């Protein structure tokens, strides 16, 4: 007997069939929408085809480009490509570049024409140079210091900036990146 004394079993069966059909139809629609989204996000027209890095004086552009390529290789959950323009991990790219390159002060990531990843990096400027422990024990080559007081590279001959020269002891053998 049915729950309601005014409804028949035949009516309850028909209601249940309609509910099952609606569930099946909405499930199929949901699966089609997810499959369509995955297909759309994996299209070549939405994938990054090239990585461009701004001109850098001290850092190696090819190294930065290789780091970015490594970050965007692979897939999310084995389904959607990490090269898909809407899913570019901009924050991760910025963080990794700043972590691995002591020459770079700031980074911005943008997408041009839906398929070119543009990396604009600003390098530290030299505000001073360090030339050894004392004026008597002057090193053959000096090192440049950035605005944070960190040594970030050897002085290059092309550096014609007139900056103050500092002397003083540094305890580490490898001094690049030290204060």
């Amino acid at each position: 007997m049915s729950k309601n004394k005014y409804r028949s079993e035949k009516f309850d069966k028909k209601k249940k069939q309609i509910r099952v059909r609606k569930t099946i139809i909405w499930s199929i629609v949901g699966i089609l929408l997810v499959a369509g989204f995955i297909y759309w996000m994996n299209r070549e027209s939405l994938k990054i085809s090239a990585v461009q890095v701004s001109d850098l004086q001290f850092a190696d552009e090819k190294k930065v480009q290789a780091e970015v390529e490594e970050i965007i290789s692979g897939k999310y959950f084995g389904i959607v490509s990490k090269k898909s323009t809407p899913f570019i991990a901009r924050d991760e790219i910025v963080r990794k570049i700043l972590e691995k390159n002591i020459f770079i002060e700031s980074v911005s990531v943008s997408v041009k024409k839906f398929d070119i990843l543009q990396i604009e990096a600003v390098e530290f400027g030299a505000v001073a140079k360090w030339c050894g422990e004392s004026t008597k024990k002057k090193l053959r080559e000096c090192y440049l210091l950035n605005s944070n007081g960190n040594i970030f590279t050897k002085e290059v001959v092309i550096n014609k900036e007139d900056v103050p020269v500092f002397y003083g002891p540094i305890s580490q053998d490898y001094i690049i990146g030290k204060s």
Side-chain angles (χ1 to χ4, degrees):
M1 184 148 174
S2 69
K3 295 178 196 175
N4 189 341
K5 63 181 179 179
Y6 298 110
R7 282 199 218 168
S8 67
E9 286 183 30
K10 189 175 180 183
F11 181 76
D12 285 342
K13 279 185 181 180
K14 201 167 209 166
K15 274 271 217 214
K16 187 176 180 181
Q17 284 178 343
I18 291 172
R19 194 172 40 244
V20 168
R21 285 182 186 157
K22 281 183 178 181
T23 304
I24 290 172
I25 289 172
W26 282 111
S27 298
I28 290 172
V29 168
I31 290 170
L32 288 175
L33 285 173
V34 169
F37 176 77
I38 291 170
Y39 170 76
W40 187 262
M41 289 299 120
N42 284 316
R43 291 184 50 174
E44 289 299 317
S45 63
L46 282 180
K47 286 186 181 178
I48 298 296
S49 62
V51 176
Q52 292 179 348
V53 180
S54 62
D55 291 333
L56 300 172
Q57 183 180 5
F58 301 114
D60 184 15
E61 293 168 25
K62 299 222 184 285
K63 181 181 169 190
V64 172
Q65 190 173 5
E67 290 168 0
V68 172
E69 289 285 348
E70 181 182 321
I71 293 169
I72 64 173
S73 64
K75 293 188 173 207
Y76 292 112
F77 306 112
I79 298 172
V80 178
S81 173
K82 288 184 178 183
K83 287 187 174 188
S84 183
T85 304
F87 296 110
I88 294 296
R90 289 173 171 85
D91 293 337
E92 183 182 355
I93 291 171
V94 168
R95 187 178 48 78
K96 291 273 185 171
I97 289 174
L98 291 175
E99 250 177 39
K100 293 185 177 185
N101 297 286
I102 60 172
F103 307 108
I104 298 176
E105 183 176 14
S106 65
V107 178
S108 67
V109 178
S110 60
V111 177
K112 289 172 43 180
K113 299 180 184 177
F114 288 106
D115 67 339
I116 298 172
L117 189 65
Q118 181 72 38
I119 309 292
E120 292 288 330
V122 176
E123 293 180 303
F124 283 107
V127 295
K129 49 183 164 174
W130 178 79
C131 292
E133 291 186 20
S134 68
T135 55
K136 294 176 185 173
K137 286 180 128 182
K138 187 175 179 181
L139 298 174
R140 279 188 278 141
E141 43 194 28
C142 294
Y143 294 87
L144 299 177
L145 284 89
N146 62 23
S147 57
N148 296 336
N150 295 327
I151 295 172
F152 69 97
T153 188
K154 289 181 181 179
E155 180 183 29
V156 289
V157 180
I158 60 171
N159 183 27
K160 298 193 181 351
E161 294 180 36
D162 190 21
V163 294
V165 178
F166 289 97
Y167 298 94
I170 291 185
S171 59
Q172 295 89 358
D173 291 334
Y174 185 73
I175 62 172
I176 294 187
K178 305 299 179 209
S179 295

